[in-house]
Amino acid sequence: MKKFVTISSILALSATVSSASAATTVDYWLWDSSQLPAYQQCAKDFQKLNPDINIKISQKGWNDYWTGITTGFVAGTAPDVFTNHLSKYPEFALNGQIVDVSPWIKRDNVKTDIYLEGLYSLWGRDGKQYGLPKDWDTVAIIYNKDMLKKAGISEKTLSSLKWNPRDGGTFEKLIAQLSLDQNGNNGLSRSFDKTKVKQYGFVSPFDPNPYGQTGWSWLAASNGFKYNDGLYATKYYYDDPRLAETIQWLTDLSLKKGLLMPYKDSRGLGANSNFVAGKAALTTDGSWMIKWYIENAKFDVGFALLPVGPTGKRVSMFNGLADSIWVGSKHKEEAWKWVKYLGSDACESAVGKFGVVFPATKKGVSNALAAHKKNGADVSAFTKLTQTKGSTFLFPITDNASEINSIMTTALENVYLGKTDAASALRDANEKVNKLFK
């Protein structure tokens, strides 16, 4: 009997192991560590519904992430599913590295009208679809409440700021008032010593890249600039004088006036880390960073609307992410089940409750707003622009993204470092960019 029981136990154990080993593992990568707990919750919920599929989530920093993805395509080690970016996916699709999921969407009758307007179409081209939307973001001002209070500035002042590239408008005056030298003079004083700045009024992400999402796009667009004529357009307008004067204003604000932390000083840690370290009173960033600022700043943080520009509008880029499937995945059907769940109201509603991003579905957004409200954070500066017609513009999705990135990064860094002026650098860069499409 004892021997029988032992054999039965062995058989039972073997069956358990066999069942576990029979489960298919889907590798899933993302880059934002703050979103990891939310997607771990989605994976947990998904696995309850699909016990034959294990979700293995890996989080990597931005640079390591994309290096791992691109080398993985070649080496055969890329994840089955990964969070994709609008600046990356057209090249991946063109090279046949990600799966067109439109046949599965049709087969499974997946509802695509649950997403906020415009997000689903961003991930489609020529009738093919390369992901389901997972979130969206806009840009706003982040400010140090203590520094405003010490300067005698009402937080309400930030809601009526105006900017122009000629004298910076009330936005520049605010930045000057918040800038302090080592003798306590602010930037409005004739005694202000720009060589000995103790507190900058503004630290900018600068964004020396083709998009300038959090650094310059919102300024340039409010000045009438547009990148091109729409999705996959083949002619760029980086030589537009309205972009040049925007970039030059940012550069002069740092190198000539000492009111903005210079690019050479801020690029190491980044604008966000310098801001939470108390080096500056204002910065600008995307809505995906809301929780990070609240958790990492040792002072009260507020969020304010972007300034109104010369066009009479305040505008923000409206960007979004999606999850894509690698063509080399050996488990495409299981990967699709996971992608479909990630893009469902069930997962996006769960993500919303974590208050780390604004999900792509309305219900998910409602949950995110409720989470922020519960934490005492007024995040309306990020959501108001999406409710006002003409106050957002789409990410410039394009072919030749890698080459454009290289050209524009070099050009903008040279300007920010004071090696050349914006007008000539952008004129030359634009000529190189447009040659890519000929």
Side-chain angles (χ1 to χ4, degrees):
M1 184 66 181
K2 183 178 180 181
K3 187 176 180 180
F4 174 78
V5 170
T6 302
I7 292 174
S8 298
S9 300
I10 292 171
L11 289 174
L13 177 62
S14 300
T16 302
V17 172
S18 175
S19 175
S21 62
T24 300
T25 295
V26 171
D27 281 325
Y28 175 55
W29 286 16
L30 49 78
W31 66 75
D32 189 346
S33 59
S34 65
Q35 296 184 35
L36 184 57
Y39 286 101
Q40 286 174 328
Q41 181 62 53
C42 280
K44 186 177 178 181
D45 297 341
F46 172 80
Q47 287 169 163
K48 285 182 181 176
L49 299 172
N50 300 274
D52 58 333
I53 302 176
N54 293 324
I55 304 300
K56 180 185 175 185
I57 303 180
S58 299
Q59 180 272 322
K60 301 174 185 291
W62 177 263
N63 291 331
D64 290 340
Y65 181 86
W66 291 112
T67 299
I69 295 289
T70 52
T71 57
F73 286 157
V74 178
T77 57
D80 300 290
V81 179
F82 62 98
T83 300
N84 212 341
H85 194 276
L86 290 171
S87 67
K88 305 286 185 180
Y89 102 81
E91 191 170 334
F92 295 160
L94 187 66
N95 293 331
Q97 293 164 323
I98 52 177
V99 175
D100 167 23
V101 296
S102 61
W104 284 325
I105 292 173
K106 185 177 181 180
R107 182 195 70 185
D108 297 347
N109 195 28
V110 176
K111 291 184 177 179
T112 59
D113 59 356
I114 61 173
Y115 305 114
L116 269 63
E117 185 177 355
L119 291 179
Y120 179 76
S121 60
L122 287 176
W123 294 90
R125 186 178 190 181
D126 300 330
K128 297 180 179 178
Q129 188 72 20
Y130 296 99
L132 295 177
K134 63 187 300 172
D135 59 35
W136 59 268
D137 52 70
T138 56
V139 177
I141 293 173
I142 295 90
Y143 61 93
N144 182 321
K145 290 188 176 183
D146 295 343
M147 288 184 181
L148 257 69
K149 188 176 181 180
K150 288 180 181 176
I153 299 170
S154 167
E155 293 179 40
K156 291 182 179 178
T157 302
L158 275 66
S159 63
S160 58
L161 294 173
K162 292 185 178 181
W163 171 82
N164 68 74
R166 181 174 49 80
D167 62 13
T170 55
F171 184 44
E172 182 173 322
K173 287 182 179 177
L174 174 76
I175 293 170
Q177 193 174 351
L178 288 165
S179 299
L180 298 173
D181 67 16
Q182 292 181 0
N183 293 318
N185 300 307
N186 72 29
L188 295 175
S189 169
R190 290 185 177 181
S191 300
F192 178 73
D193 187 346
K194 65 180 182 181
T195 67
K196 296 178 180 177
V197 179
K198 180 181 179 182
Q199 171 186 304
Y200 288 98
F202 185 29
V203 56
S204 170
F206 281 104
D207 278 349
N209 60 56
Y211 320 108
Q213 182 179 7
T214 59
W216 53 262
S217 69
W218 47 277
L219 287 167
S222 76
N223 196 27
F225 165 76
K226 63 177 183 179
Y227 301 86
N228 51 34
D229 292 321
L231 299 181
Y232 298 105
T234 57
K235 183 178 181 181
Y236 273 82
Y237 304 117
Y238 287 124
D239 59 347
D240 187 329
R242 292 170 293 189
L243 174 61
E245 59 188 10
T246 299
I247 298 299
Q248 196 62 57
W249 175 80
L250 271 174
T251 304
D252 291 347
L253 196 66
S254 63
L255 299 184
K256 290 186 177 180
K257 300 179 181 179
L259 305 176
L260 168 65
M261 182 180 285
Y263 174 64
K264 66 179 179 59
D265 296 333
S266 65
R267 62 179 173 177
L269 288 176
N272 46 25
S273 292
N274 277 296
F275 174 79
V276 298
K279 302 289 186 182
L282 310 175
T283 190
T284 50
D285 214 332
S287 50
W288 65 92
M289 291 292 284
I290 293 172
K291 193 172 184 180
W292 184 88
Y293 282 103
I294 293 172
E295 291 181 345
N296 287 275
K298 295 179 180 178
F299 48 82
D300 287 338
V301 172
F303 306 99
L305 290 166
L306 297 167
V308 173
T311 59
K313 292 183 178 180
R314 57 178 107 245
V315 292
S316 167
M317 184 180 286
F318 185 60
N319 185 30
L321 303 178
D323 293 298
S324 295
I325 301 172
W326 174 39
V327 295
S329 169
K330 295 179 181 177
H331 313 292
K332 291 188 181 69
E333 191 67 44
E334 291 83 358
W336 163 242
K337 279 188 176 181
W338 173 231
V339 166
K340 187 167 60 172
Y341 187 77
L342 286 166
S344 71
D345 228 349
C347 176
E348 302 212 9
S349 294
V351 170
K353 291 178 180 177
F354 282 80
V356 290
V357 292
F358 291 120
T361 66
K362 293 178 182 177
K363 189 175 180 181
V365 173
S366 296
N367 286 349
L369 290 173
H372 287 305
K373 186 177 181 180
K374 185 179 179 182
N375 293 328
D378 179 0
V379 299
S380 58
F382 292 98
T383 58
K384 279 186 177 178
L385 294 185
T386 65
Q387 299 161 0
T388 306
K389 190 176 182 180
S391 293
T392 60
F393 57 95
L394 296 174
F395 187 95
I397 303 173
T398 184
D399 291 322
N400 300 311
S402 295
E403 294 88 345
I404 294 174
N405 183 64
S406 177
I407 293 168
M408 291 301 295
T409 296
T410 299
L412 288 171
E413 282 195 326
N414 285 337
V415 177
Y416 291 149
L417 292 170
K419 295 180 179 179
T420 185
D421 65 280
S424 58
L426 291 169
R427 185 176 57 246
D428 293 346
N430 192 63
E431 187 176 340
K432 292 176 183 176
V433 168
N434 284 330
K435 279 184 179 178
L436 296 171
F437 296 91
K438 294 179 180 176

